[in-house]
Amino acid sequence: MKTIKYCSKNDKLGTKGVYQDIEKNFPAIQQQRKGCLSECKTCRRQPFVKVGKKTIVGDTPEHLYEQLVSLIRKQEGSTSSTPDHSGKSRHWFAGKNELYITMDKTSAPIWIKKLHKLQQSDKPKKLKTIRVNDTSIDMIPIVLKPAGEDEDRIKMKKNELILSLSPDAIEYAIFKLETFLKEGHLSPAEYYTFERVASKAKGKQPKARTQGVQIYFVTEDIQPYAKAK
């Protein structure tokens, strides 16, 4: 699909929000914000964008977004208006010290395959996952990295969640997920405790502060922010 171009002077009519929603839900789509697109008459009246030589105009920002989604799906050969979340784990924080990751019969084998590969190679493995919070649902990958014997760590970046796993943590994850596929449950839900760096070391400070984060593997029927039983 050709690049979607936005006029920054049209922001006041809501196109900045459209840009952000497309960026969040369709990260593969190329977008550009320009100072002017030489569509001044339209720009003063309605939210609009340009895709190639075509000008797309909406009655509202929501209407413009719907038109863009329809165009994207048409290009992809699909009529769905929402991103494909099938087979992807969800994850969310309950407070600062608990992380929940959902598993089902589709996502668990993908995790097992990645974990086995991590045992064989030092190269990080990326899993497509969905981050859920109280305001949004975002496609945020979980990156699995090998760690030392007792260095299980978690690091949250803007666009990814990094888990550094010791050999024991990898083995136990594989065991839990293989048991889930055989027996259909993840009890007990507790998987492992990881250390999260709370702040970076500065100057002569010897170490950054860390805090423990308990990770739970739960099934899809557990709702975000609910305490695992």
Side-chain angles (χ1 to χ4, degrees):
M1 180 170 168
K2 293 183 178 179
T3 300
I4 303 173
K5 296 181 180 180
Y6 299 77
C7 177
S8 61
K9 295 177 182 178
N10 198 233
D11 284 353
K12 61 180 180 248
L13 295 180
T15 49
K16 186 174 182 180
V18 175
Y19 176 96
Q20 293 169 339
D21 287 341
I22 293 293
E23 183 178 50
K24 177 177 71 175
N25 294 323
F26 303 95
I29 299 299
Q30 297 295 315
Q31 301 189 101
Q32 289 182 0
R33 288 169 54 78
K34 300 284 188 177
C36 181
L37 293 179
S38 301
E39 296 283 350
C40 299
K41 186 175 180 180
T42 301
C43 185
R44 286 194 293 268
R45 297 177 178 178
Q46 292 175 282
F48 82 99
V49 298
K50 295 192 77 171
V51 181
K53 294 182 180 181
K54 183 179 181 181
T55 300
I56 301 176
V57 181
D59 296 328
T60 64
E62 292 77 17
H63 182 222
L64 178 60
Y65 176 76
E66 289 172 1
Q67 291 185 79
L68 289 174
V69 169
S70 178
L71 180 61
I72 292 168
R73 289 308 184 191
K74 185 177 179 180
Q75 293 284 333
E76 294 177 345
S78 169
T79 58
S80 173
S81 62
T82 57
D84 180 14
H85 292 166
S86 60
K88 298 179 178 67
S89 295
R90 294 178 299 145
H91 63 272
W92 66 89
F93 279 95
K96 295 181 179 179
N97 302 318
E98 295 182 339
L99 172 66
Y100 293 85
I101 302 174
T102 64
M103 297 291 172
D104 60 22
K105 299 296 184 179
T106 303
S107 59
I110 296 173
W111 276 77
I112 292 170
K113 182 178 180 180
K114 295 285 187 180
L115 289 162
H116 277 304
K117 288 185 176 181
L118 195 65
Q119 289 179 315
Q120 302 163 7
S121 169
D122 289 338
K123 186 177 180 181
K125 310 302 176 189
K126 184 176 288 189
L127 288 150
K128 294 180 180 179
T129 63
I130 304 162
R131 182 180 66 190
V132 182
N133 59 39
D134 56 355
T135 59
S136 65
I137 298 176
D138 305 305
M139 297 296 294
I140 302 293
I142 291 178
V143 179
L144 306 178
K145 297 175 65 176
E149 288 297 326
D150 295 306
E151 298 177 1
D152 301 299
R153 296 229 168 187
I154 181 171
K155 186 174 184 180
M156 186 68 210
K157 291 188 174 182
K158 182 179 180 181
N159 296 316
E160 61 184 13
L161 177 66
I162 301 172
L163 297 181
S164 298
L165 297 94
S166 65
D168 285 346
I170 296 172
E171 284 284 355
Y172 187 50
I174 293 172
F175 169 76
K176 278 188 69 70
L177 297 178
E178 288 181 340
T179 301
F180 165 62
L181 293 176
K182 292 176 183 177
E183 301 180 6
H185 66 80
L186 284 164
S187 180
E190 291 87 347
Y191 159 51
Y192 235 71
T193 300
F194 285 67
E195 292 297 318
R196 178 169 62 182
V197 177
S199 62
K200 294 182 178 179
K202 296 182 179 180
K204 297 182 179 180
Q205 185 178 351
K207 289 184 179 180
R209 292 187 298 109
T210 63
Q211 56 185 196
V213 176
Q214 176 68 56
I215 295 182
Y216 299 86
F217 286 163
V218 295
T219 53
E220 283 287 341
D221 58 326
I222 301 295
Q223 295 300 311
Y225 317 115
K227 178 75 174 179
K229 301 295 183 182

